[in-house]
Amino acid sequence: MHLPQAQHMTAVMRILRYLKGTSSTGIYFDKNDHLDLIAYTDVDWAGDRDGRKSTSGYFTLVGGNLVTWRSKKQKVVALSSAEAEFRGIAKGITEILWIRKLMSEIGFPQKTACKLFCDNKAAISISENPVQHDRTKHVEIDRYFIKDKLEDKIIKLPFVRSRDQLADILTKVVNSEAFDEALRKLGIGAPNAQLEGECRNNHN
């Protein structure tokens, strides 16, 4: 917005073409036998070419259904991928805490730790290790925030392979096959096609 260039207009036009071509797309909510709360969080370290800031994103699902999502550029430049991941994980935990509180208030408290899937083994290892690391001193608050929630058994940080990281589509460019697969797993698509598929499956 401050210094628009031709490549910015190209990106905007691409977004508008995508929105026009997916105007009938929606989120399908399926009836499952659980209300487990899980989240996927991912970060594109220094992906912004203009200011080298990182983009973090998350998806949260309740009972296997997508309920919230976010993709946002981080406010400061991260000095390492682990630092960027810490900030992304902290945002994901904050969202989990809010949804846990809401579910508890309406009579559906979470009885087990919520899974927050991350594809950065270094960030997971440091989060679970109480020893201070020199390379994370500048994100010490985020690190201890994450550590406290792990120790309180509010969250777990299971590792997920990059190809199974659904939040990838919020932070970086992926090929069309990976993009479509992520949307399918998130229950995003043309509602009529999904309902027709359900009817066929039930009929068979």
Side-chain angles (χ1 to χ4, degrees):
M1 295 295 291
H2 301 296
L3 186 62
Q5 302 290 328
Q7 65 265 28
H8 298 124
M9 178 58 74
T10 300
V12 169
M13 293 305 296
R14 184 173 182 178
I15 292 170
L16 292 175
R17 283 195 297 270
Y18 175 78
L19 292 174
K20 182 179 179 180
T22 57
S23 59
S24 63
T25 297
I27 301 174
Y28 179 70
F29 289 86
D30 200 5
K31 183 178 180 181
N32 295 309
D33 58 357
H34 68 87
L35 286 175
D36 294 342
L37 169 58
I38 66 170
Y40 291 83
T41 180
D42 190 50
V43 172
D44 180 25
W45 177 43
D48 174 34
R49 294 182 181 179
D50 293 331
R52 283 304 176 188
K53 292 181 180 178
S54 305
T55 300
S56 56
Y58 61 75
F59 284 118
T60 57
L61 299 92
V62 175
N65 296 301
L66 179 62
V67 292
T68 65
W69 59 93
R70 189 179 192 187
S71 177
K72 188 174 183 180
K73 189 188 301 182
Q74 295 182 356
K75 293 182 179 180
V76 298
V77 176
L79 300 180
S80 67
S81 60
E83 176 185 343
E85 289 285 354
F86 278 133
R87 293 201 173 99
I89 291 171
K91 292 295 184 184
I93 292 176
T94 301
E95 187 71 3
I96 285 176
L97 293 175
W98 178 76
I99 296 175
R100 279 178 66 104
K101 185 175 184 295
L102 179 62
M103 292 181 68
S104 181
E105 289 177 352
I106 62 176
F108 298 99
Q110 292 286 299
K111 298 179 181 178
T112 59
C114 301
K115 294 179 180 178
L116 179 63
F117 291 98
C118 175
D119 62 3
N120 189 301
K121 289 183 178 180
I124 294 173
S125 176
I126 297 171
S127 298
E128 295 173 342
N129 188 346
V131 177
Q132 175 65 43
H133 292 259
D134 287 341
R135 61 180 169 149
T136 61
K137 284 192 293 188
H138 41 290
V139 285
E140 188 173 351
I141 294 175
D142 284 333
R143 192 172 70 84
Y144 276 102
F145 173 67
I146 296 166
K147 177 176 169 289
D148 286 347
K149 302 312 173 188
L150 286 168
E151 291 178 348
D152 292 341
K153 300 189 184 307
I154 292 175
I155 64 158
K156 292 180 181 178
L157 280 178
F159 174 74
V160 63
R161 297 175 300 179
S162 293
R163 66 182 182 183
D164 296 321
Q165 173 55 275
L166 301 183
D168 257 6
I169 65 174
L170 293 176
T171 61
K172 56 183 68 76
V173 177
V174 298
N175 61 49
S176 59
E177 183 180 349
F179 184 74
D180 291 339
E181 179 66 9
L183 292 184
R184 186 188 66 77
K185 290 180 178 178
L186 290 166
I188 299 174
N192 290 338
Q194 290 177 320
L195 290 173
E196 288 172 5
E198 289 292 315
C199 291
R200 284 197 296 269
N201 291 335
N202 292 334
H203 180 71
N204 292 336

